[in-house]
Coordinates of all heavy atoms in Angstrom, one line a residue:
M1 N 77.9 -112.6 9.9 CA 78.1 -111.2 9.9 C 76.8 -110.5 9.9 O 75.9 -110.8 9.1 CB 79.0 -110.8 8.7 CG 80.3 -111.5 8.5 SD 81.1 -111.0 7.1 CE 82.2 -109.8 7.7
H2 N 76.7 -109.5 10.8 CA 75.4 -108.8 10.9 C 75.7 -107.4 11.5 O 76.4 -107.3 12.5 CB 74.4 -109.6 11.8 CG 73.0 -109.3 11.4 ND1 72.4 -108.1 11.8 CD2 72.1 -110.0 10.8 CE1 71.2 -108.1 11.4 NE2 70.9 -109.2 10.8
G3 N 75.1 -106.4 10.9 CA 75.1 -105.1 11.4 C 74.1 -104.9 12.5 O 73.0 -105.3 12.4
E4 N 74.6 -104.3 13.6 CA 73.7 -104.2 14.7 C 72.7 -103.0 14.5 O 71.7 -102.9 15.3 CB 74.5 -104.0 16.0 CG 75.2 -105.2 16.4 CD 76.0 -105.1 17.7 OE1 75.8 -104.1 18.4 OE2 76.8 -106.0 18.0
D5 N 72.9 -102.2 13.5 CA 71.9 -101.1 13.2 C 71.2 -101.4 11.9 O 70.8 -100.5 11.2 CB 72.7 -99.8 13.1 CG 71.7 -98.6 13.2 OD1 70.6 -98.7 13.8 OD2 72.0 -97.6 12.5
D6 N 71.0 -102.7 11.6 CA 70.3 -103.1 10.4 C 68.8 -102.8 10.6 O 68.2 -103.4 11.5 CB 70.5 -104.6 10.2 CG 70.0 -105.1 8.8 OD1 69.0 -104.6 8.4 OD2 70.6 -106.0 8.3
Q7 N 68.2 -101.9 9.8 CA 66.8 -101.6 10.0 C 65.9 -102.5 9.1 O 64.7 -102.5 9.3 CB 66.6 -100.1 9.5 CG 67.4 -99.1 10.4 CD 67.0 -99.1 11.8 OE1 65.9 -99.0 12.2 NE2 68.0 -99.3 12.7
I8 N 66.5 -103.2 8.2 CA 65.7 -104.1 7.4 C 65.5 -105.5 8.0 O 64.5 -106.1 8.0 CB 66.4 -104.2 6.0 CG1 66.3 -102.9 5.3 CG2 65.7 -105.3 5.1 CD1 67.1 -102.7 4.0
C9 N 66.6 -106.0 8.5 CA 66.6 -107.3 9.3 C 67.2 -107.0 10.6 O 68.5 -107.1 10.8 CB 67.5 -108.3 8.5 SG 66.9 -108.7 6.9
P10 N 66.4 -106.5 11.6 CA 67.0 -106.1 12.9 C 67.8 -107.2 13.6 O 67.4 -108.4 13.6 CB 65.7 -105.8 13.7 CG 64.7 -105.5 12.7 CD 65.0 -106.4 11.5
F11 N 68.9 -106.8 14.1 CA 69.8 -107.8 14.8 C 69.2 -108.7 15.8 O 69.4 -109.9 15.7 CB 71.0 -107.0 15.4 CG 72.0 -107.9 16.0 CD1 72.9 -108.6 15.2 CD2 72.0 -108.1 17.4 CE1 73.9 -109.4 15.8 CE2 73.0 -109.0 18.0 CZ 73.9 -109.6 17.2
P12 N 68.4 -108.2 16.7 CA 67.8 -109.1 17.7 C 66.9 -110.2 17.2 O 66.9 -111.3 17.7 CB 67.0 -108.2 18.6 CG 67.6 -106.8 18.4 CD 68.0 -106.8 17.0
T13 N 66.3 -110.0 16.1 CA 65.4 -111.0 15.5 C 65.9 -111.8 14.4 O 65.4 -112.8 14.0 CB 64.0 -110.4 15.1 OG1 64.3 -109.3 14.1 CG2 63.3 -109.7 16.2
T14 N 67.1 -111.4 13.9 CA 67.7 -112.2 12.8 C 69.1 -112.6 13.1 O 69.4 -113.7 13.1 CB 67.6 -111.4 11.5 OG1 68.2 -110.1 11.6 CG2 66.2 -111.2 11.0
G15 N 70.0 -111.6 13.2 CA 71.4 -111.9 13.4 C 71.7 -112.7 14.6 O 72.4 -113.7 14.6
A16 N 71.1 -112.4 15.8 CA 71.4 -113.1 17.0 C 70.8 -114.5 16.9 O 71.3 -115.4 17.6 CB 70.8 -112.3 18.2
R17 N 69.8 -114.7 16.2 CA 69.1 -116.0 16.1 C 69.7 -116.9 14.9 O 69.7 -118.1 15.0 CB 67.6 -115.9 15.9 CG 66.9 -115.3 17.0 CD 65.5 -115.2 16.8 NE 64.8 -114.6 17.9 CZ 63.5 -114.3 17.9 NH1 62.8 -114.6 16.9 NH2 63.0 -113.7 19.0
S18 N 70.2 -116.3 13.9 CA 70.6 -117.0 12.7 C 71.8 -117.9 13.0 O 71.9 -119.0 12.4 CB 70.9 -116.1 11.5 OG 72.0 -115.3 11.8
V19 N 72.7 -117.5 13.8 CA 73.8 -118.3 14.1 C 73.5 -119.7 14.7 O 74.2 -120.7 14.6 CB 74.8 -117.6 15.0 CG1 74.3 -117.4 16.4 CG2 76.2 -118.2 15.0
K20 N 72.3 -119.7 15.4 CA 71.8 -121.0 16.0 C 71.4 -122.0 15.0 O 71.2 -123.2 15.3 CB 70.7 -120.7 17.0 CG 71.2 -119.8 18.2 CD 70.1 -119.4 19.1 CE 70.6 -118.5 20.1 NZ 69.5 -118.0 21.0
L21 N 71.2 -121.6 13.7 CA 70.7 -122.5 12.7 C 71.8 -123.4 12.1 O 71.5 -124.4 11.5 CB 70.1 -121.7 11.5 CG 68.8 -120.9 11.9 CD1 68.4 -120.0 10.7 CD2 67.7 -121.8 12.3
L22 N 73.0 -123.0 12.4 CA 74.2 -123.7 11.9 C 74.9 -124.5 13.0 O 75.0 -124.0 14.1 CB 75.2 -122.7 11.3 CG 74.7 -121.9 10.1 CD1 75.7 -120.8 9.8 CD2 74.4 -122.7 8.9
K23 N 75.2 -125.7 12.7 CA 75.8 -126.6 13.7 C 77.1 -126.0 14.3 O 77.3 -126.1 15.5 CB 76.1 -128.0 13.0 CG 76.6 -129.0 14.0 CD 76.7 -130.4 13.3 CE 77.0 -131.4 14.4 NZ 77.0 -132.8 13.8
H24 N 77.9 -125.4 13.4 CA 79.2 -124.8 13.9 C 79.2 -123.3 13.5 O 80.2 -122.8 13.0 CB 80.4 -125.6 13.3 CG 80.4 -127.0 13.7 ND1 80.8 -127.4 14.9 CD2 80.2 -128.1 13.0 CE1 80.7 -128.8 15.0 NE2 80.3 -129.2 13.8
G25 N 78.1 -122.7 13.8 CA 78.0 -121.3 13.4 C 78.9 -120.3 14.2 O 79.2 -120.6 15.3
T26 N 79.3 -119.3 13.5 CA 80.0 -118.2 14.1 C 79.4 -116.9 13.8 O 79.0 -116.7 12.6 CB 81.5 -118.2 13.6 OG1 82.1 -119.4 13.9 CG2 82.3 -117.1 14.2
L27 N 79.2 -116.0 14.7 CA 78.5 -114.7 14.5 C 79.5 -113.6 14.8 O 80.1 -113.6 15.8 CB 77.3 -114.5 15.3 CG 76.6 -113.2 15.2 CD1 76.0 -112.9 13.8 CD2 75.5 -113.1 16.3
K28 N 79.6 -112.7 13.8 CA 80.4 -111.5 14.0 C 79.5 -110.3 13.8 O 78.9 -110.2 12.7 CB 81.6 -111.4 13.1 CG 82.5 -110.2 13.3 CD 83.8 -110.3 12.6 CE 84.6 -109.1 12.8 NZ 85.3 -109.1 14.1
S29 N 79.3 -109.6 14.9 CA 78.4 -108.4 14.7 C 79.2 -107.1 14.7 O 80.3 -107.0 15.2 CB 77.4 -108.4 15.9 OG 78.0 -108.2 17.1
Y30 N 78.6 -106.1 14.1 CA 79.2 -104.8 13.9 C 78.3 -103.7 14.4 O 77.3 -103.4 13.8 CB 79.5 -104.6 12.4 CG 80.4 -105.6 11.8 CD1 80.0 -106.8 11.3 CD2 81.8 -105.3 11.7 CE1 80.9 -107.7 10.8 CE2 82.7 -106.2 11.1 CZ 82.2 -107.4 10.7 OH 83.1 -108.3 10.1
P31 N 78.7 -103.2 15.6 CA 77.9 -102.1 16.1 C 77.8 -100.9 15.2 O 78.8 -100.5 14.6 CB 78.7 -101.7 17.4 CG 79.5 -102.9 17.7 CD 79.8 -103.5 16.4
G32 N 76.6 -100.4 15.0 CA 76.4 -99.2 14.2 C 76.3 -99.5 12.7 O 76.0 -98.6 11.9
F33 N 76.6 -100.7 12.2 CA 76.6 -101.0 10.8 C 75.2 -101.3 10.3 O 74.4 -102.0 10.9 CB 77.5 -102.2 10.5 CG 79.0 -101.9 10.4 CD1 79.5 -100.9 11.2 CD2 79.8 -102.6 9.7 CE1 80.9 -100.6 11.2 CE2 81.2 -102.3 9.6 CZ 81.7 -101.3 10.4
P34 N 74.9 -100.8 9.1 CA 73.5 -100.9 8.5 C 73.4 -102.2 7.7 O 74.3 -103.0 7.6 CB 73.4 -99.7 7.6 CG 74.8 -99.6 7.1 CD 75.7 -99.9 8.3
H35 N 72.2 -102.4 7.2 CA 71.9 -103.6 6.3 C 72.9 -103.7 5.1 O 73.3 -104.8 4.8 CB 70.5 -103.5 5.8 CG 70.0 -104.7 5.0 ND1 69.7 -105.9 5.6 CD2 69.9 -104.9 3.7 CE1 69.4 -106.8 4.7 NE2 69.5 -106.2 3.5
G36 N 73.2 -102.6 4.6 CA 74.1 -102.6 3.4 C 75.6 -102.5 3.7 O 76.4 -102.0 2.9
M37 N 75.9 -103.0 4.9 CA 77.3 -102.9 5.3 C 78.4 -103.5 4.3 O 79.5 -102.9 4.3 CB 77.5 -103.5 6.7 CG 77.3 -105.0 6.8 SD 77.5 -105.5 8.5 CE 77.6 -107.3 8.2
P38 N 78.1 -104.5 3.5 CA 79.1 -104.9 2.6 C 79.5 -103.8 1.5 O 80.5 -103.8 1.0 CB 78.4 -106.1 1.9 CG 77.5 -106.6 2.9 CD 76.9 -105.4 3.5
T39 N 78.5 -102.9 1.4 CA 78.8 -101.8 0.4 C 79.3 -100.5 1.2 O 80.3 -99.9 0.8 CB 77.5 -101.4 -0.3 OG1 77.1 -102.5 -1.1 CG2 77.8 -100.2 -1.3
T40 N 78.6 -100.2 2.3 CA 79.0 -99.0 3.0 C 80.3 -99.1 3.8 O 80.9 -98.1 4.1 CB 77.9 -98.6 4.0 OG1 77.6 -99.6 4.9 CG2 76.6 -98.3 3.2
H41 N 80.6 -100.3 4.2 CA 81.8 -100.6 5.0 C 82.7 -101.7 4.3 O 83.2 -102.6 5.0 CB 81.5 -100.9 6.4 CG 80.8 -99.8 7.1 ND1 79.4 -99.6 7.0 CD2 81.3 -98.8 8.0 CE1 79.1 -98.5 7.8 NE2 80.2 -98.1 8.4
A42 N 82.8 -101.7 3.0 CA 83.4 -102.7 2.3 C 84.8 -103.0 2.8 O 85.2 -104.2 2.8 CB 83.4 -102.4 0.8
D43 N 85.6 -102.0 3.1 CA 87.0 -102.2 3.5 C 87.1 -103.1 4.8 O 87.9 -104.0 4.8 CB 87.7 -100.9 3.7 CG 87.0 -100.0 4.7 OD1 85.7 -100.1 4.9 OD2 87.6 -99.1 5.3
I44 N 86.2 -102.9 5.7 CA 86.2 -103.6 7.0 C 85.6 -105.0 6.7 O 86.2 -106.0 7.2 CB 85.4 -102.9 8.1 CG1 86.1 -101.6 8.4 CG2 85.2 -103.8 9.3 CD1 85.2 -100.6 9.3
I45 N 84.5 -105.1 6.0 CA 83.8 -106.4 5.8 C 84.7 -107.3 5.0 O 84.9 -108.5 5.3 CB 82.4 -106.2 5.1 CG1 81.5 -105.3 6.0 CG2 81.8 -107.5 4.8 CD1 81.2 -105.9 7.4
N46 N 85.3 -106.8 3.9 CA 86.1 -107.6 3.0 C 87.3 -108.1 3.8 O 87.7 -109.3 3.6 CB 86.5 -106.9 1.8 CG 85.3 -106.7 0.8 OD1 84.3 -107.4 0.9 ND2 85.4 -105.7 0.0
A47 N 87.9 -107.3 4.6 CA 89.1 -107.7 5.3 C 88.8 -108.8 6.3 O 89.5 -109.8 6.5 CB 89.7 -106.5 6.1
D48 N 87.6 -108.7 7.0 CA 87.2 -109.7 8.0 C 86.8 -111.0 7.3 O 87.1 -112.1 7.8 CB 86.0 -109.2 8.8 CG 86.4 -108.1 9.8 OD1 87.6 -107.9 10.0 OD2 85.5 -107.5 10.4
L49 N 86.2 -110.9 6.1 CA 85.8 -112.1 5.3 C 87.1 -112.8 4.9 O 87.2 -114.1 5.0 CB 85.0 -111.7 4.1 CG 83.5 -111.5 4.3 CD1 82.9 -111.0 3.0 CD2 82.8 -112.8 4.7
L50 N 88.1 -112.1 4.4 CA 89.3 -112.7 4.0 C 90.0 -113.4 5.2 O 90.5 -114.5 5.0 CB 90.2 -111.7 3.3 CG 91.5 -112.2 2.7 CD1 91.2 -113.3 1.6 CD2 92.2 -111.0 2.0
T51 N 90.1 -112.7 6.3 CA 90.7 -113.3 7.5 C 90.0 -114.6 7.9 O 90.6 -115.6 8.2 CB 90.6 -112.3 8.7 OG1 91.4 -111.2 8.3 CG2 91.2 -112.9 9.9
F52 N 88.6 -114.6 7.9 CA 87.9 -115.8 8.2 C 88.1 -116.9 7.2 O 88.4 -118.1 7.6 CB 86.4 -115.4 8.2 CG 85.5 -116.6 8.5 CD1 85.3 -117.1 9.8 CD2 84.8 -117.2 7.4 CE1 84.5 -118.2 10.0 CE2 84.0 -118.3 7.7 CZ 83.8 -118.8 9.0
I53 N 88.1 -116.6 5.9 CA 88.3 -117.6 4.9 C 89.7 -118.2 5.0 O 89.9 -119.5 5.0 CB 88.1 -117.0 3.5 CG1 86.6 -116.7 3.3 CG2 88.6 -118.0 2.4 CD1 86.3 -115.9 2.1
R54 N 90.7 -117.4 5.2 CA 92.1 -117.9 5.4 C 92.2 -118.8 6.6 O 92.9 -119.8 6.6 CB 93.1 -116.8 5.5 CG 93.3 -116.1 4.1 CD 94.3 -115.0 4.2 NE 94.6 -114.5 2.9 CZ 95.1 -113.3 2.6 NH1 95.3 -112.4 3.7 NH2 95.3 -112.9 1.4
A55 N 91.6 -118.4 7.7 CA 91.6 -119.2 9.0 C 90.9 -120.5 8.8 O 91.4 -121.6 9.2 CB 91.0 -118.4 10.1
E56 N 89.8 -120.6 8.1 CA 89.1 -121.8 7.8 C 89.9 -122.7 6.9 O 90.0 -123.9 7.1 CB 87.7 -121.5 7.2 CG 86.7 -121.0 8.2 CD 86.5 -121.9 9.4 OE1 86.2 -123.1 9.1 OE2 86.6 -121.5 10.5
A57 N 90.5 -122.1 5.9 CA 91.3 -122.9 4.9 C 92.5 -123.5 5.7 O 92.9 -124.7 5.4 CB 91.8 -122.0 3.8
T58 N 93.1 -122.8 6.6 CA 94.3 -123.3 7.3 C 93.8 -124.4 8.2 O 94.5 -125.4 8.3 CB 94.9 -122.2 8.1 OG1 95.4 -121.2 7.2 CG2 96.1 -122.7 8.9
A59 N 92.7 -124.2 8.9 CA 92.2 -125.3 9.8 C 91.8 -126.5 9.0 O 92.1 -127.6 9.5 CB 90.9 -124.7 10.6
T60 N 91.2 -126.4 7.9 CA 90.9 -127.5 7.1 C 92.1 -128.3 6.6 O 92.2 -129.5 6.6 CB 90.0 -127.1 5.8 OG1 88.9 -126.4 6.3 CG2 89.6 -128.3 5.0
T61 N 93.1 -127.5 6.2 CA 94.3 -128.1 5.7 C 95.0 -128.9 6.8 O 95.5 -130.0 6.6 CB 95.3 -127.1 5.2 OG1 94.7 -126.4 4.1 CG2 96.6 -127.7 4.6
R62 N 95.0 -128.4 8.0 CA 95.6 -129.0 9.1 C 94.9 -130.3 9.6 O 95.5 -131.2 10.1 CB 95.7 -128.1 10.3 CG 96.8 -127.0 10.1 CD 96.9 -126.2 11.4 NE 97.8 -125.1 11.1 CZ 97.8 -124.0 11.8 NH1 97.0 -123.8 12.8 NH2 98.7 -123.0 11.6
S63 N 93.6 -130.3 9.3 CA 92.8 -131.5 9.8 C 92.8 -132.6 8.7 O 92.3 -133.7 9.0 CB 91.4 -131.1 10.1 OG 90.7 -130.7 9.0
Q64 N 93.3 -132.4 7.5 CA 93.3 -133.4 6.5 C 94.4 -134.4 6.8 O 95.5 -134.0 7.1 CB 93.5 -132.8 5.1 CG 92.4 -131.8 4.7 CD 91.1 -132.5 4.5 OE1 91.1 -133.7 4.0 NE2 90.0 -131.9 4.9
P65 N 94.1 -135.7 6.6 CA 95.2 -136.7 6.8 C 96.2 -136.5 5.7 O 95.9 -136.2 4.6 CB 94.5 -138.0 6.7 CG 93.2 -137.7 6.1 CD 92.9 -136.3 6.3
V66 N 97.4 -136.8 6.1 CA 98.5 -136.8 5.1 C 98.5 -138.0 4.3 O 98.4 -139.1 4.8 CB 99.9 -136.6 5.8 CG1 101.0 -136.7 4.8 CG2 99.9 -135.4 6.7
A67 N 98.5 -137.9 3.0 CA 98.4 -139.0 2.1 C 99.8 -139.7 2.1 O 100.8 -139.1 2.1 CB 98.1 -138.5 0.7
A68 N 99.7 -141.0 2.1 CA 100.9 -141.8 2.1 C 101.4 -141.8 0.7 O 100.7 -141.9 -0.3 CB 100.6 -143.3 2.5
T69 N 102.7 -141.7 0.5 CA 103.3 -141.8 -0.8 C 104.1 -143.1 -0.9 O 104.6 -143.6 0.0 CB 104.3 -140.6 -1.0 OG1 105.3 -140.6 0.0 CG2 103.5 -139.3 -1.0
S70 N 104.1 -143.6 -2.1 CA 104.8 -144.9 -2.3 C 106.0 -144.6 -3.1 O 106.0 -143.7 -4.0 CB 103.9 -145.9 -3.0 OG 103.5 -145.4 -4.3
R71 N 107.1 -145.3 -2.8 CA 108.3 -145.2 -3.6 C 108.5 -146.5 -4.4 O 108.4 -147.5 -3.8 CB 109.5 -144.9 -2.7 CG 109.3 -143.6 -2.0 CD 110.5 -143.2 -1.2 NE 110.3 -141.9 -0.6 CZ 111.2 -141.4 0.2 NH1 112.3 -142.0 0.5 NH2 110.9 -140.2 0.7
A72 N 108.9 -146.3 -5.6 CA 109.1 -147.5 -6.4 C 110.6 -147.8 -6.5 O 111.4 -147.0 -6.3 CB 108.5 -147.3 -7.8

């Protein structure tokens, strides 16, 4: 997540490059959002974070092998 109007860590030199550091990185950019976007736009950022976390949790659950159960 990166604000495209971040004056502290400018998007072209940080946000656009940071996603390449992760093997399975995902970048979500926010036009016009500043460096402090988690505070200034908390409603949007928190909703997007929650959506991402839920999607990842669902994907992880689906990829887990089903444990065999034994019956006595």
Side-chain angles (χ1 to χ4, degrees):
M1 302 178 94
H2 205 287
E4 291 182 14
D5 194 32
D6 189 328
Q7 301 298 305
I8 296 170
C9 300
F11 181 78
T13 57
T14 56
R17 294 180 181 177
S18 64
V19 70
K20 296 175 184 174
L21 298 173
L22 301 170
K23 189 173 185 178
H24 301 286
T26 301
L27 174 64
K28 182 165 179 82
S29 63
Y30 295 85
F33 281 29
H35 183 75
M37 67 182 191
T39 301
T40 60
H41 296 83
D43 54 336
I44 296 168
I45 299 300
N46 289 339
D48 287 351
L49 279 171
L50 187 56
T51 298
F52 177 78
I53 291 167
R54 286 180 174 158
E56 288 298 310
T58 300
T60 301
T61 302
R62 287 184 184 160
S63 68
Q64 296 294 323
V66 177
T69 57
S70 60
R71 295 185 178 179

